[in-house]
Amino acid sequence: MSATAHRAIFDKVSLHQDIATVLIDEVTIRKRVRELGDIINREYARKDLLLVSVLKGSIVFMADLIRAITIPHEIDFMATSSYGAGVSSSGVVRILKDLNTSIEGRNVVIVEDIIDSGNTLSYLARIMQERRPASLRIMTLLDKPERREVDIHVDWVGFSIPNEFVVGYGLDYDEVYRNLPFIGVLKPSVYGASD
Ligand code: PRP
């Protein structure tokens, strides 16, 4: 049995009990994702397009976004790590998995779940620009502007949110809660603070 199988969280019957409030519900997310898909449809009609999802948090957004996009496009994935098991960004970005495809001469949109300090995207945008794409733009579902440490231009934001610890719709705490279908605020007691 793996070490994670012993974690107390797996004793829980429902993850919902750890949620203080629902910040963005399923219906609101669905509507906004459709709008973001329409933006891509308009901006990239009759153009080459590669969407790059930054694992793992963006997978749920990416899966819904590509189904809201009706024009032809390709997808690829990168994996980075910044948070570990903590709740704040370390400022250190590691590439765990690089793209499978060359982006030279291509129109690339990076798809993120959340921009917090900005360290991850600042680093990714820099190394991707060095690969000479025809264009490089950034779409994020969530933005926490209060937490920004580095200046970064974000082209499209789904929701600008306050500085709360959010989980669900792909976002995790300690690798759990990604499957919640809404964006919820985690009870502080879950990560060792008082509620
Ligand atoms: C999260 C999120 C972004 C990054 C944003 O990823 O998906 O990639 O942090 O934070 P920043 O703006 O402070 O750099 P995380 O490292 O938690 O990995 P995950 O997507 O696998 O959960």
Side-chain angles (χ1 to χ4, degrees):
M1 194 181 283
S2 74
T4 49
H6 293 291
R7 282 159 58 190
I9 194 158
F10 292 108
D11 292 336
K12 291 178 198 286
V13 174
S14 167
L15 294 174
H16 291 241
Q17 68 196 72
D18 290 344
I19 301 303
T21 51
V22 173
L23 192 63
I24 311 170
D25 64 34
E26 281 184 77
V27 173
T28 309
I29 294 173
R30 198 176 310 129
K31 179 170 177 287
R32 186 67 183 129
V33 170
R34 269 198 223 112
E35 290 169 359
L36 294 171
D38 281 342
I39 290 172
I40 298 287
N41 290 334
R42 283 197 302 274
E43 290 281 330
Y44 294 93
R46 287 175 290 278
K47 287 184 187 159
D48 158 71
L49 172 62
L50 176 69
L51 298 178
V52 173
S53 161
V54 185
L55 297 170
K56 306 172 205 168
S58 69
I59 58 152
V60 179
F61 175 42
M62 179 76 159
D64 285 346
L65 179 67
I66 64 172
R67 285 176 290 180
I69 295 174
T70 52
I71 60 169
H73 63 279
E74 294 177 26
I75 63 172
D76 203 347
F77 296 89
M78 274 188 111
T80 62
S81 170
S82 65
Y83 284 10
V87 294
S88 64
S89 173
S90 63
V92 177
V93 178
R94 283 190 302 147
I95 299 245
L96 304 177
K97 181 215 167 293
D98 207 334
L99 296 172
N100 290 350
T101 44
S102 166
I103 60 169
E104 188 171 349
R106 307 202 63 183
N107 296 310
V108 177
V109 176
I110 300 177
V111 177
E112 260 290 21
D113 53 330
I114 187 164
I115 303 178
D116 197 329
S117 69
N119 285 313
T120 305
L121 269 179
S122 162
Y123 176 77
L124 276 185
R126 194 171 68 245
I127 64 160
M128 287 175 81
Q129 280 294 4
E130 286 168 3
R131 300 177 187 186
R132 300 165 182 266
S135 66
L136 180 66
R137 295 168 96 179
I138 294 170
M139 176 174 281
T140 185
L141 179 69
L142 305 175
D143 185 17
K144 265 190 198 173
E146 284 170 55
R147 298 261 310 163
R148 202 70 93 251
E149 291 171 13
V150 291
D151 207 19
I152 173 154
H153 175 74
V154 184
D155 297 279
W156 301 290
V157 173
F159 303 94
S160 192
I161 62 168
N163 185 18
E164 305 267 19
F165 195 81
V166 288
V167 294
Y169 201 73
L171 286 92
D172 74 309
Y173 168 62
D174 204 5
E175 296 300 330
V176 184
Y177 304 94
R178 296 190 196 274
N179 54 316
L180 291 173
F182 52 80
I183 305 287
V185 178
L186 197 61
K187 286 181 181 167
S189 55
V190 176
Y191 50 90
S194 50
D195 286 340

